[in-house]
Amino acid sequence: MQNTSHSLDHGASSWEEVLVELRKRVRTDQYATWFVHLRPVEITKNQVRLSVPNTFYRDWLERKYGEVIESAFRSVLDWEPTISFIVDESAPRTAAPQEGAGTAMLNPQYTFANFIVGQCNRLAHAASLAVAESPGTAYNPLFIHGGAGLGKTHLLQGICHALIAKKADTRVLFLSCEEFMNQFISAIQHGSLEAFRAEHRSPDIIAIDDVHFLARGESTQEEFFHTFNTLYNAQKQIVLTSDRAPEDIATLEERLISRFKWGLVSRMDLPDFETRVAIIQHKARLREVDLPEDVIHFVAAHVDSNIRELEGAITKIAGFASLANRTIDISLAREALEDMTPTSKPISIEEIQSLVTRRYNVKLSDLQSKKKSKSIAFPRQICMCLARRLTNHSLEEIGGYFGGRDHTTVMYADEKIRQMVAQDSTLRLALQEMETELRKKK
Ligand code: ADP
Ligand code: MG
């Protein structure tokens, strides 16, 4: 590594900048799982080499995050380096496999007491209470699904908190699906599979967040299956969340789909106006932000995508007020939320698909297929780009509308079209037309 330290001197701060960007582009748990272990070995305009603790990291990063890293370099530094990962077994691992699991991962705010119940989440909430009341017997497994920012993780952790509150020595294992996979592969490589199994097959409750990330045909899914069976047979509670219903997870094996439906499958929906008001009031109180009633109603009327966005709106308004040293009123709220207040009704991905298929004369089934010919890939990328700009769907969700593509594909499509638009005024015009058309109907 002697001969590379030179190129690092210049590159280290660039890498820091790219990391800041990456932090914004991937979810917190993904960042914690995959990116904190990266060490820069060589960072130059043409060549980026990063060391990783084992081959699993290398494969996973290459497959899932290569494009995100590339595009972060492009947007932050305007570099287009070749990215490669080097396995360095001696590299320090900030999180050993056994760490991070269990209660340390729980957010103390995500309790039932802090959860506002409305029509949108009543069933999922009631089921969660029942599970916390009689773990292993009420509903097993409990499977909660719904769009991003609707409170799935919060409810899941609410169950864990409640069980610990009831019985302090309850063995709770809470982890994201990616952590499960990561810990499993790492256990294989370190020859510590027995310890992994002892840990994952012994808790009183296992709560696994975002199981739509389980990849098909991989040993992780097999392991997950056995973990499930062992816990289920021992009448231990299993709670799972996902961004879609079990049967809609394209990568999931049939036998897991059917097991996920053995207990109760409960969907969470977008909150209605009254629930949004209640949530804003609750969050404002928690944060000790004084929001007048008309401002609360203004926010509830204008931010209707999901609950995370509602929180974002409160943060923005509070931040705006303290920066400008003004009291919070409607006009301040309007200014603060200028870029958040959308047209009256959200544009849906279906509408985008229908417009684009007509305009480019392709079939919807082609957009959802794996076909890569330009005549299909291009309109597909147009759709993804429009969906990024005009809807509040997450990258994962958008990918789901196109045959279950993953978030990096969507991110790449969006970026690609943006770059093309920068050089192609006809395309720019076409996109503007489509955007106007989509907004017009609202
Ligand atoms: P998801 O896992 O579905 O993407 P989260 O559980 O992370 O969503 O919720 C996003 C944010 O919204 C969290 O800060 C959570 O506390 C908050 N939140 C979601 N639903 C509710 C609710 N019903 N009452 C209060 N806060 C909520
Ligand atoms: Mg979540």
Side-chain angles (χ1 to χ4, degrees), residues 22-300:
L22 284 167
R23 219 178 242 279
K24 294 187 219 150
R25 295 194 182 202
V26 302
R27 291 199 324 266
T28 319
D29 59 314
Q30 293 171 333
Y31 187 88
T33 308
W34 305 109
F35 292 88
V36 297
H37 304 295
L38 292 175
R39 297 282 172 269
V41 175
E42 179 181 2
I43 308 282
T44 67
K45 210 166 169 6
N46 301 318
Q47 175 95 327
V48 165
R49 293 197 297 147
L50 303 163
S51 87
V52 293
N54 58 46
T55 54
F56 177 61
Y57 274 90
R58 183 194 62 203
D59 297 346
W60 191 268
L61 281 158
E62 273 174 359
R63 219 172 60 206
K64 290 271 187 180
Y65 297 107
E67 282 175 5
V68 188
I69 298 175
E70 271 171 37
S71 96
F73 269 99
R74 250 197 320 271
S75 76
V76 175
L77 303 167
D78 203 18
W79 287 5
E80 301 210 352
T82 316
I83 315 260
S84 53
F85 301 96
I86 302 157
V87 177
D88 178 5
E89 305 267 358
S90 67
R93 278 182 53 97
T94 22
Q98 274 73 12
E99 275 171 25
T103 53
M105 290 294 283
L106 297 182
N107 180 330
Q109 299 272 359
Y110 288 0
T111 58
F112 285 144
N114 278 335
F115 192 83
I116 304 292
V117 183
Q119 207 52 47
C120 56
N121 55 30
R122 191 177 305 284
L123 284 179
H125 175 257
S128 302
L129 285 182
V131 160
E133 192 59 41
S134 339
T137 49
Y139 304 112
N140 208 15
L142 172 61
F143 189 101
I144 298 172
H145 69 99
L150 294 184
K152 301 183 295 295
T153 302
H154 187 141
L155 262 190
L156 190 60
Q157 295 200 9
I159 298 173
C160 300
H161 280 301
L163 285 170
I164 294 165
K166 214 165 65 171
K167 199 163 153 286
D169 61 352
T170 310
R171 281 166 305 165
V172 170
L173 188 57
F174 170 89
L175 71 175
S176 73
C177 185
E178 289 195 334
E179 283 164 331
F180 178 90
M181 298 192 285
N182 177 21
Q183 290 171 9
F184 170 62
I185 302 291
S186 168
I188 292 181
Q189 297 193 329
H190 291 91
S192 54
L193 209 48
E194 261 174 56
F196 172 89
R197 291 193 172 136
E199 189 195 348
H200 291 77
R201 297 185 185 185
S202 69
D204 299 311
I205 171 173
I206 189 164
I208 302 194
D209 210 1
D210 294 328
V211 294
H212 50 271
F213 286 115
L214 269 183
R216 182 188 283 281
E218 290 187 356
S219 50
T220 44
Q221 200 160 132
E222 175 84 13
E223 183 65 21
F224 191 91
F225 179 75
H226 294 297
T227 305
F228 185 103
N229 288 344
T230 306
L231 290 169
Y232 185 87
N233 290 334
Q235 292 196 344
K236 302 301 187 188
Q237 181 66 45
I238 302 161
V239 192
L240 309 162
T241 71
S242 156
D243 68 351
R244 62 205 92 157
E247 62 273 21
D248 295 335
I249 306 176
T251 53
L252 211 57
E253 291 171 15
E254 207 48 54
R255 56 182 184 169
L256 270 175
I257 296 180
S258 80
R259 270 168 178 68
F260 287 176
K261 297 202 248 179
W262 277 353
L264 182 75
V265 175
S266 184
R267 197 181 77 197
M268 300 180 82
D269 292 308
L270 286 171
D272 57 24
F273 182 79
E274 279 72 29
T275 313
R276 295 202 294 278
V277 168
I279 289 173
I280 299 165
Q281 281 168 337
H282 181 79
K283 299 281 169 188
R285 218 176 305 125
L286 270 185
R287 295 180 186 192
E288 299 178 344
V289 178
D290 198 11
L291 289 186
E293 187 158 322
D294 56 347
V295 170
I296 293 178
H297 284 193
F298 175 81
V299 176

Side-chain angles (χ1 to χ4, degrees), residues 319-366:
F320 215 78
S322 85
L323 266 180
N325 200 15
R326 284 162 56 185
T327 46
I328 297 177
D329 58 17
I330 281 277
S331 77
L332 179 133
R334 190 168 282 134
E335 279 175 59
L337 300 189
E338 211 157 64
D339 55 341
M340 283 180 98
T341 47
T343 50
S344 49
K345 236 175 86 215
I347 293 167
S348 71
I349 296 187
E350 284 91 348
E351 288 168 315
I352 294 173
Q353 288 174 327
S354 134
L355 178 73
V356 171
T357 47
R358 270 182 283 128
R359 186 171 181 124
Y360 290 91
N361 204 13
V362 283
K363 291 202 281 287
L364 179 59
S365 58
D366 282 336

